[in-house]
Amino acid sequence: MKQEVLYALDTPYRQRMEIEGFRFGSGEKACAIVGGIRGNEVQQMYVCARLVQAFRRLEEQKAILPGNEILVIPCVTRFSMNVGQRFWPLDNTDINRMFPGYDQGETTQRIAAALFEAVKGYRYGIHFASFYLPGDFVPHVRIMNTGYQTASLGNLFGLPYVVMRTPKPIDTTTLNYNWQIWESNAFSLYTRDTDRIDEASAQQAVSAVLRYLSRVGVVKYNCHSGYMSTVINESTLAPVLTPTGGIFRPKKVPGDPVEYGEVIGEILDPLTAELSAPVTATTSGVVFFATDKPLVLEHEVAFKLIRRLHV
Amino acid sequence: MIQKVTGLSMAVHEQLELYKHRYAPKPGNDTGRRVCIVTGIHGDELEGQYVAFLLGRRLKEHPEFLRCTVDVYPAMNPLGINTIQRGVPLFDLDMNRIFPGADDGPAVEYFAHKAVEDMRGADIAIDIHASNIFLRELPQVRISEETAPALVPLAKELNIDFVWVHAAATVLQSTLAHSLNAMGTKCLVVEMGVGMRLTRAYGEQLTEGILNLLRSQGFWSGETQQPRTPLVSKDEVAFLNAGAAGIFMPETLHGTHVRAGQVLGVIADPLTAEEKEVVTSPVDGLLFTLREYPVVYPGSLLARVLKQEVTA
């Protein structure tokens, strides 16, 4: 294992911000793995830290196959994480909206450019990402439909679902999108939590990455085969919106089956605790996402459901 | 007449509401056209608040001159303005990256969708921004290349200092201006002043410009001032970014003409009491952007200079 500083930035009133990377094996650039790009992505950093441990053991056991180099970057912005802010502390810009970056540009463009320079050119790129809506997901792999993607590779992680996303304009500045444009096979992995550590889903994510790298011939790793992934298109997920504002009490969690019309949550009046409105399933299927906010506005995404394909 | 455009129930017995003020022409004066004045998409940009006030006052004083409907939306992101946040509170979202929104989307996208639908069919829209808290801008209109032929002639009527025609960026397809232009409403984006402040001179300048634009289209029959002739640039702009961390202190006045090599400011370290960088202009030109907020990191934008001045 080689631990190195990939980028350093002078900052006023604080120590230099450094992006640290961990390299394993040697040879062709096989896989780059990136954890917390945002300051609240604690789970994402933790999963990568666990991967650093795992790769170190594999390297000691000579289980990283010859000719393959792996790079792990657990935390891109400790500068944000150390002060508990999701985005760049000075101007609240999102580094995952700055790729491929610009080394002569604004601060976060420079950080993105330095990170992208470090991780581009790898055969596989894996980013542990978080969603802008707070809540819990079924663990899944997300792949952008850029025209460069290979959906079948997503199955090799052995996670329950592979979600294909047709990029919107705002996606064109993400790490995942730019990795693909620069001809890496890019995957975003979503685990159950973001700003808290969930051991079970962290372990599932570590196993998924090792399983994947074993299947594509980068490491030797014996594990169970995981799930036969179901590939779904993100646009087919059925949103369930809150019918009014108030206290939200979910009755289902990700992975639960639901029936059309079933009450899967409820909105309570925040001052009397009386039922304001039920939240009902808009289709039969499986809960893919559930918000974990106790207070909700009207028209918020309470759940996203995977439509049942057959009865 | 003040009209509610849309509303959403918030968590604890409050409505999130979007309002507009509709100024209608007197009977017999209506050309059937509509102009939207939009501001407050970013909650920390307040320059448009003054314009909404000044323009509304002029329209109320002289309704007899009005020949079209003017809808003024002063607070597109009411929660952001109310809580002094640039984005939309609760969602950490830049509202100007989610247009045109979606009827079946999450709350903010739904809100954006309702606003866009309310503006649908308008002939002209002016979306007023105020840079951010970091940079001070001369009054300017920013236009993407593909819409320049239709929009530059309108921009010249707005009494601004500068028209910046820039290359199209995919990510900007999520802005209100892009959505409205795609829907057939000619939308001009104004940037002026600085975040969290009102620059009264700029507000008065733009208000005269809006009335002048209305007059040029036959939508306002009152007298207006002769608009100033803006410089029009196609990306002949020099960007100056900080090379060091510290505090930036400008040494040149904003809005002035500078020469190549002229000192624009210095970056200093308060702890060591040393100058870390002397910032000079790389070109002759107009200093149209100047940093307002002193603390800088390497990369922080300090200034922009318009290199080649082309009189329209």
Side-chain angles (χ1 to χ4, degrees), chain A residues 70-90:
Chain A
I70 300 165
L71 173 65
V72 183
I73 303 172
C75 179
V76 175
T77 50
R78 63 188 188 201
F79 207 66
S80 301
M81 204 166 275
N82 284 336
V83 293
Q85 292 197 29
R86 180 168 164 81
F87 298 133
W88 187 246
L90 184 72

PDB file of all heavy atoms in Angstrom, chain A residues 70-90:
ATOM      1  N   ILE A  70      -4.935  -0.315  -8.073  1.00  0.00           N
ATOM      2  CA  ILE A  70      -6.202   0.182  -7.510  1.00  0.00           C
ATOM      3  C   ILE A  70      -5.894   1.447  -6.711  1.00  0.00           C
ATOM      4  O   ILE A  70      -4.932   1.479  -5.933  1.00  0.00           O
ATOM      5  CB  ILE A  70      -6.838  -0.868  -6.571  1.00  0.00           C
ATOM      6  CG1 ILE A  70      -7.123  -2.169  -7.338  1.00  0.00           C
ATOM      7  CG2 ILE A  70      -8.117  -0.335  -5.939  1.00  0.00           C
ATOM      8  CD1 ILE A  70      -7.400  -3.360  -6.441  1.00  0.00           C
ATOM      9  N   LEU A  71      -6.722   2.466  -6.901  1.00  0.00           N
ATOM     10  CA  LEU A  71      -6.571   3.721  -6.151  1.00  0.00           C
ATOM     11  C   LEU A  71      -7.856   3.962  -5.354  1.00  0.00           C
ATOM     12  O   LEU A  71      -8.955   3.908  -5.913  1.00  0.00           O
ATOM     13  CB  LEU A  71      -6.338   4.891  -7.110  1.00  0.00           C
ATOM     14  CG  LEU A  71      -6.334   6.300  -6.496  1.00  0.00           C
ATOM     15  CD1 LEU A  71      -5.172   6.483  -5.523  1.00  0.00           C
ATOM     16  CD2 LEU A  71      -6.276   7.366  -7.593  1.00  0.00           C
ATOM     17  N   VAL A  72      -7.704   4.208  -4.043  1.00  0.00           N
ATOM     18  CA  VAL A  72      -8.865   4.508  -3.198  1.00  0.00           C
ATOM     19  C   VAL A  72      -8.678   5.899  -2.591  1.00  0.00           C
ATOM     20  O   VAL A  72      -7.631   6.195  -2.002  1.00  0.00           O
ATOM     21  CB  VAL A  72      -9.037   3.471  -2.066  1.00  0.00           C
ATOM     22  CG1 VAL A  72     -10.307   3.781  -1.260  1.00  0.00           C
ATOM     23  CG2 VAL A  72      -9.099   2.058  -2.622  1.00  0.00           C
ATOM     24  N   ILE A  73      -9.700   6.729  -2.745  1.00  0.00           N
ATOM     25  CA  ILE A  73      -9.686   8.080  -2.156  1.00  0.00           C
ATOM     26  C   ILE A  73     -10.903   8.163  -1.231  1.00  0.00           C
ATOM     27  O   ILE A  73     -12.023   8.440  -1.682  1.00  0.00           O
ATOM     28  CB  ILE A  73      -9.746   9.165  -3.250  1.00  0.00           C
ATOM     29  CG1 ILE A  73      -8.573   8.995  -4.224  1.00  0.00           C
ATOM     30  CG2 ILE A  73      -9.740  10.559  -2.619  1.00  0.00           C
ATOM     31  CD1 ILE A  73      -8.640   9.899  -5.439  1.00  0.00           C
ATOM     32  N   PRO A  74     -10.711   7.921   0.046  1.00  0.00           N
ATOM     33  CA  PRO A  74     -11.888   7.871   0.933  1.00  0.00           C
ATOM     34  C   PRO A  74     -12.578   9.221   1.107  1.00  0.00           C
ATOM     35  O   PRO A  74     -13.800   9.279   1.223  1.00  0.00           O
ATOM     36  CB  PRO A  74     -11.318   7.379   2.271  1.00  0.00           C
ATOM     37  CG  PRO A  74     -10.029   6.708   1.926  1.00  0.00           C
ATOM     38  CD  PRO A  74      -9.497   7.472   0.747  1.00  0.00           C
ATOM     39  N   CYS A  75     -11.793  10.301   1.148  1.00  0.00           N
ATOM     40  CA  CYS A  75     -12.394  11.603   1.472  1.00  0.00           C
ATOM     41  C   CYS A  75     -11.772  12.693   0.600  1.00  0.00           C
ATOM     42  O   CYS A  75     -10.559  12.911   0.655  1.00  0.00           O
ATOM     43  CB  CYS A  75     -12.164  11.916   2.954  1.00  0.00           C
ATOM     44  SG  CYS A  75     -12.829  13.501   3.452  1.00  0.00           S
ATOM     45  N   VAL A  76     -12.596  13.362  -0.168  1.00  0.00           N
ATOM     46  CA  VAL A  76     -12.098  14.437  -1.031  1.00  0.00           C
ATOM     47  C   VAL A  76     -12.092  15.763  -0.279  1.00  0.00           C
ATOM     48  O   VAL A  76     -11.189  16.570  -0.438  1.00  0.00           O
ATOM     49  CB  VAL A  76     -12.972  14.539  -2.305  1.00  0.00           C
ATOM     50  CG1 VAL A  76     -12.554  15.728  -3.154  1.00  0.00           C
ATOM     51  CG2 VAL A  76     -12.881  13.244  -3.099  1.00  0.00           C
ATOM     52  N   THR A  77     -13.080  15.994   0.552  1.00  0.00           N
ATOM     53  CA  THR A  77     -13.187  17.310   1.207  1.00  0.00           C
ATOM     54  C   THR A  77     -13.255  17.166   2.716  1.00  0.00           C
ATOM     55  O   THR A  77     -14.305  17.372   3.310  1.00  0.00           O
ATOM     56  CB  THR A  77     -14.418  18.080   0.723  1.00  0.00           C
ATOM     57  OG1 THR A  77     -15.534  17.224   0.820  1.00  0.00           O
ATOM     58  CG2 THR A  77     -14.241  18.618  -0.650  1.00  0.00           C
ATOM     59  N   ARG A  78     -12.151  16.817   3.314  1.00  0.00           N
ATOM     60  CA  ARG A  78     -12.127  16.834   4.773  1.00  0.00           C
ATOM     61  C   ARG A  78     -12.341  18.259   5.286  1.00  0.00           C
ATOM     62  O   ARG A  78     -12.767  18.470   6.415  1.00  0.00           O
ATOM     63  CB  ARG A  78     -10.815  16.279   5.290  1.00  0.00           C
ATOM     64  CG  ARG A  78      -9.585  17.073   4.905  1.00  0.00           C
ATOM     65  CD  ARG A  78      -8.360  16.303   5.311  1.00  0.00           C
ATOM     66  NE  ARG A  78      -7.143  17.059   5.147  1.00  0.00           N
ATOM     67  CZ  ARG A  78      -5.943  16.474   5.051  1.00  0.00           C
ATOM     68  NH1 ARG A  78      -5.835  15.159   5.082  1.00  0.00           N
ATOM     69  NH2 ARG A  78      -4.860  17.202   4.929  1.00  0.00           N
ATOM     70  N   PHE A  79     -12.037  19.208   4.423  1.00  0.00           N
ATOM     71  CA  PHE A  79     -12.219  20.615   4.767  1.00  0.00           C
ATOM     72  C   PHE A  79     -13.687  20.911   5.097  1.00  0.00           C
ATOM     73  O   PHE A  79     -13.991  21.674   6.008  1.00  0.00           O
ATOM     74  CB  PHE A  79     -11.779  21.456   3.569  1.00  0.00           C
ATOM     75  CG  PHE A  79     -11.295  22.816   3.937  1.00  0.00           C
ATOM     76  CD1 PHE A  79     -10.139  22.984   4.674  1.00  0.00           C
ATOM     77  CD2 PHE A  79     -11.991  23.938   3.540  1.00  0.00           C
ATOM     78  CE1 PHE A  79      -9.684  24.247   5.013  1.00  0.00           C
ATOM     79  CE2 PHE A  79     -11.539  25.204   3.863  1.00  0.00           C
ATOM     80  CZ  PHE A  79     -10.385  25.349   4.603  1.00  0.00           C
ATOM     81  N   SER A  80     -14.610  20.298   4.353  1.00  0.00           N
ATOM     82  CA  SER A  80     -16.040  20.445   4.633  1.00  0.00           C
ATOM     83  C   SER A  80     -16.459  19.514   5.768  1.00  0.00           C
ATOM     84  O   SER A  80     -17.235  19.893   6.648  1.00  0.00           O
ATOM     85  CB  SER A  80     -16.865  20.124   3.382  1.00  0.00           C
ATOM     86  OG  SER A  80     -16.509  20.966   2.327  1.00  0.00           O
ATOM     87  N   MET A  81     -15.927  18.286   5.726  1.00  0.00           N
ATOM     88  CA  MET A  81     -16.362  17.293   6.706  1.00  0.00           C
ATOM     89  C   MET A  81     -15.996  17.728   8.129  1.00  0.00           C
ATOM     90  O   MET A  81     -16.763  17.534   9.064  1.00  0.00           O
ATOM     91  CB  MET A  81     -15.710  15.945   6.366  1.00  0.00           C
ATOM     92  CG  MET A  81     -16.494  14.772   6.912  1.00  0.00           C
ATOM     93  SD  MET A  81     -15.959  13.208   6.192  1.00  0.00           S
ATOM     94  CE  MET A  81     -16.909  13.136   4.689  1.00  0.00           C
ATOM     95  N   ASN A  82     -14.840  18.343   8.275  1.00  0.00           N
ATOM     96  CA  ASN A  82     -14.399  18.737   9.620  1.00  0.00           C
ATOM     97  C   ASN A  82     -15.222  19.870  10.214  1.00  0.00           C
ATOM     98  O   ASN A  82     -15.114  20.142  11.412  1.00  0.00           O
ATOM     99  CB  ASN A  82     -12.918  19.137   9.587  1.00  0.00           C
ATOM    100  CG  ASN A  82     -12.021  17.917   9.512  1.00  0.00           C
ATOM    101  OD1 ASN A  82     -12.419  16.822   9.911  1.00  0.00           O
ATOM    102  ND2 ASN A  82     -10.814  18.082   9.000  1.00  0.00           N
ATOM    103  N   VAL A  83     -15.993  20.554   9.385  1.00  0.00           N
ATOM    104  CA  VAL A  83     -16.859  21.610   9.927  1.00  0.00           C
ATOM    105  C   VAL A  83     -18.339  21.288   9.706  1.00  0.00           C
ATOM    106  O   VAL A  83     -19.205  22.147   9.893  1.00  0.00           O
ATOM    107  CB  VAL A  83     -16.525  23.002   9.325  1.00  0.00           C
ATOM    108  CG1 VAL A  83     -15.146  23.442   9.774  1.00  0.00           C
ATOM    109  CG2 VAL A  83     -16.625  23.002   7.805  1.00  0.00           C
ATOM    110  N   GLY A  84     -18.617  20.043   9.315  1.00  0.00           N
ATOM    111  CA  GLY A  84     -19.997  19.595   9.234  1.00  0.00           C
ATOM    112  C   GLY A  84     -20.819  20.267   8.159  1.00  0.00           C
ATOM    113  O   GLY A  84     -22.023  20.461   8.328  1.00  0.00           O
ATOM    114  N   GLN A  85     -20.184  20.609   7.030  1.00  0.00           N
ATOM    115  CA  GLN A  85     -20.946  21.216   5.942  1.00  0.00           C
ATOM    116  C   GLN A  85     -20.911  20.316   4.724  1.00  0.00           C
ATOM    117  O   GLN A  85     -19.866  19.772   4.361  1.00  0.00           O
ATOM    118  CB  GLN A  85     -20.369  22.595   5.590  1.00  0.00           C
ATOM    119  CG  GLN A  85     -20.583  23.589   6.712  1.00  0.00           C
ATOM    120  CD  GLN A  85     -20.410  25.021   6.247  1.00  0.00           C
ATOM    121  OE1 GLN A  85     -20.647  25.351   5.097  1.00  0.00           O
ATOM    122  NE2 GLN A  85     -19.995  25.875   7.148  1.00  0.00           N
ATOM    123  N   ARG A  86     -22.065  20.193   4.075  1.00  0.00           N
ATOM    124  CA  ARG A  86     -22.177  19.294   2.919  1.00  0.00           C
ATOM    125  C   ARG A  86     -21.342  19.809   1.739  1.00  0.00           C
ATOM    126  O   ARG A  86     -20.683  19.040   1.059  1.00  0.00           O
ATOM    127  CB  ARG A  86     -23.649  19.182   2.522  1.00  0.00           C
ATOM    128  CG  ARG A  86     -23.937  18.286   1.327  1.00  0.00           C
ATOM    129  CD  ARG A  86     -25.442  18.035   1.246  1.00  0.00           C
ATOM    130  NE  ARG A  86     -25.882  17.506  -0.031  1.00  0.00           N
ATOM    131  CZ  ARG A  86     -25.806  16.237  -0.405  1.00  0.00           C
ATOM    132  NH1 ARG A  86     -25.272  15.348   0.414  1.00  0.00           N
ATOM    133  NH2 ARG A  86     -26.252  15.835  -1.577  1.00  0.00           N
ATOM    134  N   PHE A  87     -21.367  21.124   1.524  1.00  0.00           N
ATOM    135  CA  PHE A  87     -20.684  21.687   0.360  1.00  0.00           C
ATOM    136  C   PHE A  87     -19.450  22.474   0.780  1.00  0.00           C
ATOM    137  O   PHE A  87     -19.085  22.524   1.945  1.00  0.00           O
ATOM    138  CB  PHE A  87     -21.649  22.541  -0.456  1.00  0.00           C
ATOM    139  CG  PHE A  87     -22.814  21.756  -1.016  1.00  0.00           C
ATOM    140  CD1 PHE A  87     -24.108  22.230  -0.905  1.00  0.00           C
ATOM    141  CD2 PHE A  87     -22.608  20.528  -1.621  1.00  0.00           C
ATOM    142  CE1 PHE A  87     -25.179  21.496  -1.415  1.00  0.00           C
ATOM    143  CE2 PHE A  87     -23.669  19.786  -2.130  1.00  0.00           C
ATOM    144  CZ  PHE A  87     -24.957  20.268  -2.016  1.00  0.00           C
ATOM    145  N   TRP A  88     -18.794  23.119  -0.174  1.00  0.00           N
ATOM    146  CA  TRP A  88     -17.560  23.844   0.100  1.00  0.00           C
ATOM    147  C   TRP A  88     -17.863  24.987   1.070  1.00  0.00           C
ATOM    148  O   TRP A  88     -18.751  25.800   0.814  1.00  0.00           O
ATOM    149  CB  TRP A  88     -16.971  24.365  -1.214  1.00  0.00           C
ATOM    150  CG  TRP A  88     -15.632  24.986  -1.064  1.00  0.00           C
ATOM    151  CD1 TRP A  88     -15.315  26.299  -1.255  1.00  0.00           C
ATOM    152  CD2 TRP A  88     -14.422  24.328  -0.692  1.00  0.00           C
ATOM    153  NE1 TRP A  88     -13.978  26.496  -1.023  1.00  0.00           N
ATOM    154  CE2 TRP A  88     -13.407  25.300  -0.665  1.00  0.00           C
ATOM    155  CE3 TRP A  88     -14.095  23.008  -0.353  1.00  0.00           C
ATOM    156  CZ2 TRP A  88     -12.090  25.005  -0.331  1.00  0.00           C
ATOM    157  CZ3 TRP A  88     -12.785  22.718  -0.023  1.00  0.00           C
ATOM    158  CH2 TRP A  88     -11.800  23.703  -0.018  1.00  0.00           C
ATOM    159  N   PRO A  89     -17.142  25.071   2.173  1.00  0.00           N
ATOM    160  CA  PRO A  89     -17.561  25.986   3.240  1.00  0.00           C
ATOM    161  C   PRO A  89     -17.623  27.456   2.838  1.00  0.00           C
ATOM    162  O   PRO A  89     -18.475  28.186   3.325  1.00  0.00           O
ATOM    163  CB  PRO A  89     -16.500  25.777   4.327  1.00  0.00           C
ATOM    164  CG  PRO A  89     -15.936  24.429   4.072  1.00  0.00           C
ATOM    165  CD  PRO A  89     -15.993  24.238   2.590  1.00  0.00           C
ATOM    166  N   LEU A  90     -16.743  27.894   1.958  1.00  0.00           N
ATOM    167  CA  LEU A  90     -16.718  29.329   1.661  1.00  0.00           C
ATOM    168  C   LEU A  90     -17.917  29.767   0.824  1.00  0.00           C
ATOM    169  O   LEU A  90     -18.600  30.730   1.156  1.00  0.00           O
ATOM    170  CB  LEU A  90     -15.429  29.709   0.927  1.00  0.00           C
ATOM    171  CG  LEU A  90     -15.300  31.211   0.674  1.00  0.00           C
ATOM    172  CD1 LEU A  90     -15.013  31.951   1.967  1.00  0.00           C
ATOM    173  CD2 LEU A  90     -14.217  31.516  -0.342  1.00  0.00           C
TER     174      LEU A  90
END
